[in-house]
Amino acid sequence: MLRPGSSVSYNSAMHQVTIDAHPTEQAIVVRFDQSSGSPSNTLKKRASSANVESLGHQKVINLKELSPDVDIRALSNVILQKCLFIPATSRSQLEQVLYFLQKRGTPRMSSSRSRSSSAVSFDRRSSQAAVLNVDLDKVDEYIECFYGETSAEKNKGAMALHELSKTPQNLTPLVNNETLMMALARVFREDWKKHFDVATNIMNLFVNMSKFSIFHGILLHHKIGSLCVNAIEHETKRYDLWITEMKKADQETQRKLKNAIRKQAILLAACITMLTNLATDISVELKMVRRNLVVLLVKCLQMSSDSPNPLTTSTVKFLLKLSIFEENKIVMEQNGTIEKLLKLFPIHDLELRKATIQLLFNFSFDPKNVPKMVNGGLVPHMSSLIESDNKALNMLYLLSCNDDAKAMLAYTDAIQSLMRDVLSGRGSEVTKAVLLNICLEKRNAQLVCGAGGQGLDLLMEMSMESRDLMLIKVIRAISSHDGPTQNMFLKWIDKLLDVAKSEGADNSESKSSFGLECMGAVAEIKVAPWAKIIQSHSLVPWMKDQLQEGIDESQEVTVLREIKPLQLQIVITCGTMARQLDAARLLVPLIDTFVHLLQSCQIDDEFVVQLLYVFLQLLKHKDLSARLMTQDSELGAHMIDLMHDANAAVREVCDNALLIMGEHSEDWAKRIAGERFKWHNAQWLEMVERDDHEFNNYDNEDFGADFNFDNFDDDFDMNEKLF
């Protein structure tokens, strides 16, 4: 068998033949010595018909269709028949080289599968790929290849120079070679429309140079960035023509067009990578944007969305860089970038997925874009990635602010993953924030608690032990839902109240915040036996002391100097307690305190609403309503004063309370009706006075010229009976 890299020589009377495997292509290289003899004209004609390109004293026979299923024996017969300069006695050696090529496969394809998908390192090849033997001292020879007649000769020079550029030490002499830079720019400008391989190798050389900002000035001097934009603009238009042509072409033409589109994508990826590296200078980036580059990039994204490839990665990375500016982001949104990005999922390439999530993250700060992502099915994809990708977790946090996204999360594994991270102690603040958002949905809260409340118990134990503010916020969110989860809190009410009483009014901000959240969670539990809890914890004296703190009664008008958050939570809790008659009776000693608070905090609408809600719940109990509806009741007077308040919530609670008062007392019903009439009458008088004032401005004007009543007839007969 022939070892890889070996060659076979053959001596004949006419010429000496050497058969080698091409280092990078699916081809064999036949070298011969023409000094002993020259092929006849017939031989030249036969060789040209066999897809052979002349390279001096050697011939390259391309074998693009050499697949593992090809019969080597039959292929060797075809080659010997068409290539007469290969002696028949070299059949066995030829078959050995063909067998080696068949087993090796296409180096270019294997390299493309193993190379990184990074846009900046686009041209990095696998270590298993063949490496050309190049020499920096032979740059002039490589430049001479650009003046060859065939694309293969030009590509030979481009490949050699590209290989040299992979070594950073070679870049300085290459960039400083003015002849080389001019030749590269000229060949790319003239040949990129015709020869994708040549253009791609040249552009990859420029990409290697653009990785170092010191060379950016020279690249811009030779207008390489402008050439890239021109190429992208032209290729996007040609892509549309090819797609249209492919729909009506035969199978062979479709195959050729698909191959051309594949090569086109590689070239575009190199061009976009080149521009991305040059865009480190903001002024250069602005020039690109003025060339309508954002729209072109979105078009490139559409071209590669069906089958993600290096073009997709390079395009998404550049769009991510450009999305920092609001103007660019608006253009992207208008051209449907979000919808195109969503089509890429699921994304298996790690680097492409990371860049895509970051780009969507930038878009998600605009509220109108989040529904697009949710409706596009992004939530399940992000849910499956939160354990392995922090960017996905951040993205899920913004999505979880949407109500539809919260509902979708109930049908994913996100809740189990979040709970596992939180309870293991590995959960970050973002993890807890996502859990907090999704627990605002009732179904999700039930899933977090579990069938028997085990999840709630674990969260409660962990929060009490660590005094974690985010966890207690999660617990408070769960407590806000009616249903079976309310009963799961009954065994924790005593603990929550103890913490609220001991830490709620603490001078330390961290302790007071935790105690406040505990009190807020308690205020949501409607099914608790509140009468028993009030007595066992002596809540009435404690609540009275807390509510009276800050009330200044030394002035004629009672003023609450500062409303503390704990006072508001206590009032909310009293509103929950007052729903039960036994507990409401125990709250009667606090009525005067509530009235004083109502007098002193008129400027705080939230506090007023919650106080009125407490009175409303007390009025619903007939046994207590008489106490609140005495003739000189200050509460009734305050209700009447507030029934036309500017705040809609205050008006609604007052209307409900006054309705109950009117049903229970005829005197109050008359008084309320009279006050409503006075207010309505005052509004009517104010309107009339305003209209009269406006009408008086027209007293001196003459409308006679505008109206002629002599010929006016409205068909109305004063003598006709109406009924």
Side-chain angles (χ1 to χ4, degrees):
M1 296 296 293
L2 185 68
R3 298 191 307 273
S6 63
S7 62
V8 178
S9 299
Y10 175 78
N11 294 323
S12 70
M14 294 182 61
H15 51 277
Q16 183 179 1
V17 177
T18 302
I19 304 174
D20 288 322
H22 196 285
T24 60
E25 302 289 344
Q26 284 290 73
I28 61 175
V29 181
V30 182
R31 297 182 177 87
F32 54 89
D33 183 7
Q34 291 182 331
S35 60
S36 301
S38 300
S40 63
N41 292 333
T42 305
L43 180 63
K44 291 182 179 180
K45 187 180 298 184
R46 296 287 298 277
S48 63
S49 65
N51 194 22
V52 177
E53 297 180 356
S54 176
L55 289 175
H57 297 288
Q58 70 181 19
K59 303 291 182 181
V60 178
I61 304 175
N62 295 316
L63 304 170
K64 296 181 179 179
E65 303 298 330
L66 183 58
S67 64
D69 300 328
V70 172
D71 186 347
I72 298 297
R73 180 74 176 178
L75 179 59
S76 64
N77 289 335
V78 173
I79 294 175
L80 290 173
Q81 181 182 0
K82 293 187 175 183
C83 305
L84 300 181
F85 46 80
I86 301 178
T89 54
S90 299
R91 176 188 297 275
S92 60
Q93 291 84 356
L94 176 62
E95 290 179 356
Q96 290 178 3
V97 175
L98 293 174
Y99 178 78
F100 165 69
L101 288 172
Q102 188 181 46
K103 291 298 183 182
R104 185 185 71 177
T106 306
R108 180 179 297 173
M109 293 178 63
S110 62
S111 175
S112 65
R113 284 191 295 266
S114 61
R115 71 182 63 166
S116 170
S117 62
S118 169
V120 177
S121 58
F122 167 75
D123 61 331
R124 189 177 300 159
R125 296 178 181 271
S126 170
S127 60
Q128 298 178 354
V131 179
L132 293 176
N133 293 322
V134 292
D135 189 350
L136 188 61
D137 296 331
K138 296 182 179 180
V139 171
D140 292 339
E141 296 181 14
Y142 304 145
I143 296 175
E144 287 295 327
C145 293
F146 291 149
Y147 297 94
E149 297 180 357
T150 64
S151 62
E153 291 181 86
K154 295 179 180 180
N155 195 38
K156 178 183 177 182
M159 289 176 61
L161 291 169
H162 175 215
E163 193 68 30
L164 282 173
S165 70
K166 294 179 181 179
T167 304
Q169 291 79 2
N170 296 336
L171 290 176
T172 300
L174 290 176
V175 171
N176 292 334
N177 191 327
E178 184 71 15
T179 303
L180 171 62
M181 296 300 294
M182 293 178 65
L184 290 171
R186 177 187 61 81
V187 173
F188 183 83
R189 182 169 54 252
E190 295 176 355
D191 288 8
W192 63 263
K193 297 180 182 179
K194 300 178 291 184
H195 308 301
F196 280 130
D197 293 336
V198 176
T200 301
N201 280 310
I202 293 176
M203 186 51 61
N204 282 330
L205 185 152
F206 290 144
V207 169
N208 290 337
M209 293 178 179
S210 68
K211 294 176 184 177
F212 301 92
S213 59
I214 193 174
F215 301 135
H216 287 184
I218 298 177
L219 293 171
L220 294 173
H221 172 72
H222 290 280
K223 299 183 178 180
I224 307 303
S226 180
L227 288 175
C228 289
V229 177
N230 292 338
I232 295 173
E233 186 175 8
H234 178 81
E235 293 303 327
T236 52
K237 294 178 181 178
R238 185 154 64 167
Y239 173 83
D240 293 334
L241 296 176
W242 282 347
I243 294 298
T244 303
E245 185 178 351
M246 190 182 297
K247 294 178 181 179
K248 53 186 178 181
D250 55 25
Q251 187 173 0
E252 180 64 19
T253 304
Q254 288 182 355
R255 185 185 65 80
K256 292 180 180 179
L257 288 174
K258 288 180 180 179
N259 186 51
I261 290 174
R262 179 183 61 81
K263 291 185 176 181
Q264 181 192 57
I266 297 174
L267 174 60
L268 287 174
C271 291
I272 293 173
T273 302
M274 166 73 182
L275 294 176
T276 305
N277 293 341
L278 289 179
T280 53
D281 187 341
I282 188 64
S283 61
V284 175
E285 182 177 316
L286 289 174
K287 291 180 181 179
M288 297 178 187
V289 172
R290 294 191 191 104
R291 292 284 301 272
N292 205 28
L293 183 63
V294 177
V295 176
L296 294 176
L297 289 174
V298 176
K299 176 63 178 178
C300 291
L301 181 62
Q302 181 181 353
M303 291 165 55
S304 60
S305 60
D306 294 335
S307 55
N309 51 45
L311 175 58
T312 315
T313 304
S314 59
T315 302
V316 171
K317 281 193 168 186
F318 202 1
L319 288 173
L320 174 60
K321 178 176 175 55
L322 295 173
S323 67
I324 297 174
F325 295 95
E326 186 68 23
E327 297 82 0
N328 297 337
K329 198 162 62 171
I330 292 174
V331 176
M332 295 178 199
E333 293 172 0
Q334 292 173 347
N335 287 272
T337 304
I338 296 175
E339 292 79 1
K340 293 178 177 63
L341 290 172
L342 294 176
K343 291 181 181 179
L344 298 176
F345 287 93
I347 304 174
H348 303 292
D349 185 275
L350 181 61
E351 197 157 5
L352 174 58
R353 186 176 66 202
K354 180 180 178 181
T356 304
I357 294 175
Q358 286 180 318
L359 181 53
L360 288 171
F361 184 75
N362 287 354
F363 283 123
S364 64
F365 286 96
D366 191 338
K368 71 175 181 296
N369 291 330
V370 174
K372 297 180 185 178
M373 300 177 190
V374 174
N375 297 332
L378 186 60
V379 173
H381 294 299
M382 293 298 100
S383 301
S384 62
L385 298 172
I386 57 177
E387 290 187 285
S388 58
D389 193 337
N390 287 333
K391 298 297 181 184
L393 183 63
N394 293 338
M395 185 74 235
L396 187 63
Y397 168 73
L398 292 178
L399 293 176
S400 65
C401 298
N402 180 273
D403 292 338
D404 292 336
K406 292 187 185 76
M408 291 180 183
L409 285 169
Y411 303 96
T412 67
D413 296 331
I415 295 177
Q416 291 87 334
S417 300
L418 294 170
M419 286 290 290
R420 184 163 52 247
D421 287 347
V422 168
L423 295 176
S424 64
R426 301 192 308 268
S428 64
E429 292 300 304
V430 179
T431 305
K432 298 170 187 175
V434 175
L435 190 62
L436 172 60
N437 283 349
I438 67 177
C439 282
L440 295 175
E441 176 73 22
K442 184 176 182 178
R443 175 59 180 160
N444 295 334
Q446 293 174 345
L447 292 174
V448 168
C449 292
Q454 300 90 342
L456 177 62
D457 294 342
L458 292 173
L459 286 176
M460 192 71 74
E461 291 172 359
M462 189 171 184
S463 65
M464 291 298 172
E465 180 179 353
S466 62
R467 288 298 194 265
D468 192 310
L469 185 60
M470 286 298 295
L471 287 184
I472 198 64
K473 286 179 179 291
V474 173
I475 292 169
R476 181 177 178 179
I478 296 173
S479 68
S480 64
H481 301 292
D482 296 331
T485 53
Q486 290 261 317
N487 295 319
M488 299 176 185
F489 279 89
L490 295 180
K491 60 182 176 182
W492 291 103
I493 285 185
D494 293 337
K495 182 65 175 177
L496 291 170
L497 279 172
D498 291 339
V499 174
K501 291 173 64 178
S502 61
E503 299 183 9
D506 196 280
N507 293 328
S508 171
E509 183 178 354
S510 59
K511 286 188 176 182
S512 62
S513 298
F514 191 85
L516 186 65
E517 294 297 331
C518 290
M519 196 68 194
V522 169
E524 301 289 349
I525 311 302
K526 301 179 180 64
V527 298
W530 282 115
K532 181 179 178 181
I533 293 173
I534 291 172
Q535 292 175 337
S536 62
H537 286 269
S538 302
L539 288 181
V540 172
W542 174 76
M543 290 190 294
K544 187 171 184 177
D545 291 340
Q546 294 296 326
L547 293 175
Q548 287 182 337
E549 184 178 354
I551 295 180
D552 189 356
E553 297 180 345
S554 61
Q555 302 179 9
E556 295 181 1
V557 179
T558 304
V559 178
L560 185 62
R561 291 195 298 268
E562 182 184 2
I563 300 174
K564 296 183 178 180
L566 182 60
Q567 292 175 320
L568 177 60
Q569 293 303 324
I570 289 174
V571 172
I572 295 174
T573 305
C574 290
T576 303
M577 295 174 177
R579 296 164 64 94
Q580 301 175 9
L581 178 58
D582 293 339
R585 290 195 180 104
L586 298 175
L587 295 178
V588 170
L590 296 176
I591 292 178
D592 292 339
T593 303
F594 291 148
V595 173
H596 288 153
L597 286 172
L598 188 61
Q599 292 173 342
S600 61
C601 62
Q602 296 293 321
I603 60 174
D604 192 317
D605 288 342
E606 175 65 17
F607 205 68
V608 170
V609 168
Q610 297 300 336
L611 283 171
L612 293 176
Y613 181 77
V614 175
F615 291 130
L616 176 62
Q617 297 302 322
L618 293 174
L619 287 170
K620 289 181 178 180
H621 304 295
K622 292 183 179 180
D623 296 349
L624 302 176
S625 59
R627 168 77 181 269
L628 298 172
M629 294 187 301
T630 58
Q631 191 66 28
D632 57 347
S633 172
E634 295 182 3
L635 175 61
H638 285 302
M639 290 285 187
I640 291 174
D641 290 340
L642 294 171
M643 68 179 176
H644 300 299
D645 192 85
N647 188 290
V650 172
R651 293 198 304 270
E652 182 180 0
V653 179
C654 281
D655 287 342
N656 293 332
L658 291 173
L659 181 62
I660 295 175
M661 293 175 68
E663 291 177 351
H664 288 139
S665 172
E666 185 176 350
D667 293 338
W668 273 107
K670 292 179 180 179
R671 184 175 174 182
I672 293 169
E675 292 296 334
R676 289 185 187 277
F677 177 77
K678 288 180 182 179
W679 183 86
H680 178 75
N681 194 38
Q683 294 294 311
W684 184 83
L685 290 174
E686 180 182 353
M687 181 184 66
V688 170
E689 290 176 359
R690 183 176 65 250
D691 291 345
D692 288 344
H693 177 70
E694 293 175 357
F695 185 75
N696 288 336
N697 294 332
Y698 301 99
D699 286 346
N700 297 326
E701 296 188 13
D702 183 12
F703 295 99
D706 296 330
F707 296 98
N708 185 359
F709 293 98
D710 295 339
N711 299 322
F712 182 76
D713 183 10
D714 61 355
D715 294 330
F716 182 76
D717 187 357
M718 291 293 294
N719 298 321
E720 183 179 354
K721 294 182 178 180
L722 296 178
F723 302 101

